[in-house]
Amino acid sequence: MTPFDILMLISVICIWSLLLVNVALIVAGYLFYLQTDRLPVPSLPQTPPFVSIMVPAHNEGMVIVKTVESLLALNYPHDRYEIIVINDNSSDNSSELLSGLQRRHAGRNLIVINTDKVTGGKGKSNALNIGFAQSKGELIAIYDADNTPEKTALTYLVAEIMADAKLGAVIGKFRTRNRNASLLTRFINIETLSFQWMAQAGRWKLFKLCTIPGTNFIMRRHIVEEIGGWDVKAIAEDTEISFRIYMMGYRIKFQPKSVTWEQEPQTVKVWFKQRSRWAKGNVYVIVKNFPLLFNRKAARIRFDILYFVAIYFLLVSSLIVSDLLLVLHALGYVKTTIAGFSSFLWMLAITLFVVGTYITLTTEKGEMKLSNLWLIMLMYVTYCQMWMVVAAYGLYNYFKDQIFKREVKWYKTERF
């Protein structure tokens, strides 16, 4: 067996190991969907807890009005929640738009915090810490500035967390509001349903683990106080705070009936910038929490640590090596005796990907259509390969930032 054969074999084993893990998560997630679809959401306490909804926003004038109006229209008792918008060092017309909303809704608990380049402009975590200092809710909910939550979204989150004292946070589901805008947003819609919320459902079903997304979640105030707020060095502040909640002995539950709709990137340039930022942020969390693998107190969350390590280090490197060797073999530059077998496994992997992804889409109304099969196949050979480049670029940027000690700042996702 040649060195190229050994490299190819190791890469194939790594890829298939992770593929089978994800198949297991999809199956478990699908079972969780069948289970929760039949079960009612717990009822709110007779006196609902006071909730502080925080919305960090940087130059979000294009979407902020629609977001705030959606939050004002929630069916949660209006005297039991406040909305705190942190208009963080914005240079657009956000301040004027938010002032207009305050005038039109003078009787509501709508608070706007305007920061400048001295106090703000240092990233989402810093903005959340500023908002939290002025909040008074027993529970803290977070929504991104481009979100339009369904009216029941907050009620479901609050009811779920109040029904179980072991829960430190409860997350909901986010859907793609502009999924029909372009081919890219159609891919993102499939990714969101299949690889984000279905994987969350599977991890909760199998391990009672979930990772907080950036939006549509709720957590207990005393937890934020005990952990000292959000890590200002973390770009992926949601993943980072999840691990600290785990280490306090709490669980994070997924409630898919709580839904918010968000705007996704409509161009490859905007998507690449957003996702490479996510990748870099998740690498920071992996490096920060890697020592927990050897901590007995973290035994329950080792799967999540290993899962993130495998996705961002093992899978990326294995995909790059295997794809490169297959291309070089086809061009005649290298010889590997298992290239044919690898090609067979590659085709089998595509089949599993298409079937598994399509099955997850059947859980959503309006998504069970045969045209999605062709879309998923196209997604595998285009969008998924682009993700590999994004993850590699995120790794590169993380280590570059560590070398040059760059300060965390807002990475604005362009709105449409």
Side-chain angles (χ1 to χ4, degrees), residues 64-288:
I64 195 64
V65 171
K66 192 171 185 178
T67 294
V68 174
E69 287 178 341
S70 295
L71 294 171
L72 288 167
L74 293 169
N75 70 356
Y76 197 76
H78 289 179
D79 61 336
R80 302 302 296 162
Y81 75 94
E82 63 181 357
I83 302 169
I84 302 175
V85 182
I86 308 97
N87 182 35
D88 196 40
N89 192 33
S90 296
S91 57
D92 64 359
N93 63 340
S94 294
S95 180
E96 292 81 5
L97 292 171
L98 289 166
S99 294
L101 283 169
Q102 284 181 305
R103 287 193 297 272
R104 290 198 298 274
H105 302 279
R108 301 294 300 277
N109 289 320
L110 175 57
I111 302 163
V112 177
I113 302 173
N114 293 299
T115 71
D116 54 29
K117 61 182 179 181
V118 176
T119 58
K122 301 172 185 177
K124 185 177 177 180
S125 294
N126 183 68
L128 289 172
N129 285 333
I130 290 171
F132 182 72
Q134 295 197 30
S135 68
K136 58 183 181 181
E138 175 187 344
L139 300 173
I140 306 296
I142 310 293
Y143 284 94
D144 280 341
D146 63 328
N147 273 218
T148 50
E150 295 182 359
K151 290 187 175 183
T152 55
L154 182 63
T155 298
Y156 288 164
L157 293 177
V158 174
E160 196 69 66
I161 198 169
M162 295 303 291
D164 188 349
K166 294 180 181 178
L167 298 178
V170 176
I171 68 173
K173 183 164 61 176
F174 53 91
R175 294 293 315 277
T176 305
R177 190 169 74 210
N178 57 333
R179 62 190 184 279
N180 294 320
S182 66
L183 181 62
L184 177 62
T185 57
R186 290 186 176 93
F187 287 156
I188 294 172
N189 181 53
I190 293 172
E191 176 199 18
T192 300
L193 293 173
S194 300
F195 305 104
Q196 294 197 37
W197 96 256
M198 190 59 78
Q200 293 274 37
R203 282 160 59 227
W204 171 257
K205 178 72 174 176
L206 293 175
F207 306 106
K208 294 296 181 283
L209 292 172
C210 279
T211 305
I212 291 175
T215 188
N216 196 29
F217 70 91
I218 199 162
M219 55 198 303
R220 299 183 190 276
R221 180 185 190 85
H222 73 86
I223 288 179
V224 183
E225 292 173 338
E226 288 178 38
I227 63 179
W230 284 264
D231 182 349
V232 295
K233 294 181 180 179
I235 299 173
E237 81 296 328
D238 40 15
T239 307
E240 193 281 330
I241 207 167
S242 299
F243 281 95
R244 290 198 278 165
I245 292 173
Y246 293 154
M247 290 304 294
M248 291 179 69
Y250 287 100
R251 290 176 175 172
I252 302 170
K253 187 174 183 180
F254 179 44
Q255 174 45 266
K257 291 181 179 178
S258 172
V259 178
T260 190
W261 295 80
E262 66 179 20
Q263 188 185 94
E264 299 290 356
Q266 293 180 193
T267 66
V268 173
K269 181 181 178 181
V270 175
W271 173 85
F272 188 89
K273 185 177 181 181
Q274 181 198 62
R275 298 309 170 92
S276 59
R277 171 175 57 87
W278 289 4
K280 183 172 72 171
N282 282 326
V283 172
Y284 170 84
V285 175
I286 293 167
V287 173
K288 179 178 179 178

Side-chain angles (χ1 to χ4, degrees), residues 35-54:
Q35 174 188 354
T36 56
D37 194 48
R38 297 190 300 264
L39 295 175
V41 178
S43 301
L44 282 175
Q46 188 171 2
T47 303
F50 193 83
V51 182
S52 293
I53 300 176
M54 298 202 301

